[in-house]
Amino acid sequence: GDSVTQMEGPVTLSEEAFLTINCTYTATGYPSLFWYVQYPGEGLQLLLKATKADDKGSNKGFEATYRKETTSFHLEKGSVQVSDSAVYFCALSDRGSTLGRLYFGRGTQLTVWP
Amino acid sequence: EAGVAQSPRYKIIEKRQSVAFWCNPISGHATLYWYQQILGQGPKLLIQFQNNGVVDDSQLPKDRFSAERLKGVDSTLKIQPAKLEDSAVYLCASSLDPGLYEQYFGPGTRLTVT
């Protein structure tokens, strides 16, 4: 079945450090890939997405590239800020399905120190 | 525009008691999802509605969980009787159309079963 594997956290960085959170997926179909972010006390928010191989999703300085050959969708940011502290979830949705069901990874807690 | 509303935000009950959660999706969103997020794990879909009909409840423990969506708008998720392993955050999400549009999440209801 469809599934997502994320690197385990927590990840602790100093402000302006480079961030990478690894995500790999398994899918029977041809999925769309997402990164969601959950700030403390809030619901999940879509951060970025990519719908086909080699697409790059980007938002708020974060980027992720859909790599079909390595079944990966790693999240990166060149210079993190304290305000980026949150839990990040990688997810996939089977584009061949009309249901739009999301399969989530376990989440990675990011803490950025000033 | 108003986001997805959920209530209550927190609930503590004893095992074998019953509990209900309420969700009001974004106006005009035909698709509504309930997810269960156990501590340290990613959200897992429990049930999906399209308007007021169920399109996916394969992961819903139907012996104790039930859900309804009246008039294709608000939804209620009920647990009766609750078990210790039901302790989790219950997230409601909505979208304009499954598979094509982003899912918008509410803040969740944190349930603790003692």
Side-chain angles (χ1 to χ4, degrees):
Chain A
D2 294 354
S3 66
V4 173
T5 302
Q6 266 182 259
M7 68 180 281
E8 294 196 13
V11 174
T12 303
L13 296 172
S14 297
E15 207 165 25
E16 299 183 3
F18 184 85
L19 168 71
T20 299
I21 300 177
N22 290 338
C23 171
T24 57
Y25 67 89
T26 301
T28 54
Y30 194 16
S32 294
L33 301 173
F34 307 84
W35 278 100
Y36 278 81
V37 59
Q38 187 173 33
Y39 298 102
E42 299 183 14
L44 278 74
Q45 303 173 26
L46 179 65
L47 180 60
L48 53 84
K49 66 179 180 182
T51 58
K52 61 182 186 295
D54 300 324
D55 266 2
K56 177 184 285 187
S58 61
N59 186 26
K60 299 180 181 180
F62 290 88
E63 294 183 340
T65 301
Y66 190 143
R67 301 289 189 196
K68 186 180 178 184
E69 63 275 14
T70 55
T71 62
S72 65
F73 192 57
H74 304 323
L75 182 68
E76 296 182 337
K77 187 174 186 182
S79 176
V80 294
Q81 305 300 312
V82 172
S83 56
D84 294 327
S85 297
V87 181
Y88 292 82
F89 292 91
C90 186
L92 71 80
S93 177
D94 181 3
R95 288 193 304 148
S97 167
T98 58
L99 297 181
R101 176 177 177 175
L102 286 171
Y103 296 83
F104 286 90
R106 298 172 69 90
T108 302
Q109 172 77 55
L110 169 67
T111 302
V112 180
W113 295 101
Chain B
E1 98 188 330
V4 177
Q6 289 188 248
S7 67
R9 292 294 307 274
Y10 305 92
K11 190 72 176 180
I12 301 174
I13 62 172
E14 296 181 351
K15 59 184 179 183
R16 291 187 291 273
Q17 287 186 324
S18 63
V19 64
F21 312 126
W22 173 82
C23 172
N24 179 240
I26 292 174
S27 178
H29 281 196
T31 310
L32 186 146
Y33 309 81
W34 283 101
Y35 290 86
Q36 181 192 56
Q37 185 180 8
I38 293 173
L39 185 64
Q41 299 182 21
K44 182 186 78 172
L45 181 70
L46 290 174
I47 189 168
Q48 177 181 345
F49 292 93
Q50 182 69 17
N51 296 306
N52 61 350
V54 175
V55 295
D56 186 356
D57 63 356
S58 58
Q59 301 298 305
L60 187 75
K62 299 180 185 64
D63 58 334
R64 297 183 302 105
F65 285 65
S66 65
E68 61 181 3
R69 189 179 185 195
L70 299 176
K71 300 180 181 179
V73 182
D74 292 5
S75 178
T76 302
L77 177 69
K78 297 179 181 178
I79 308 175
Q80 182 179 9
K83 294 184 175 181
L84 295 176
E85 58 261 36
D86 298 332
S87 294
V89 176
Y90 291 85
L91 297 167
C92 180
S94 69
S95 71
L96 273 173
D97 189 296
L100 296 178
Y101 293 98
E102 173 184 350
Q103 293 185 27
Y104 294 83
F105 285 80
T109 296
R110 182 177 296 278
L111 173 67
T112 302
V113 182
T114 62

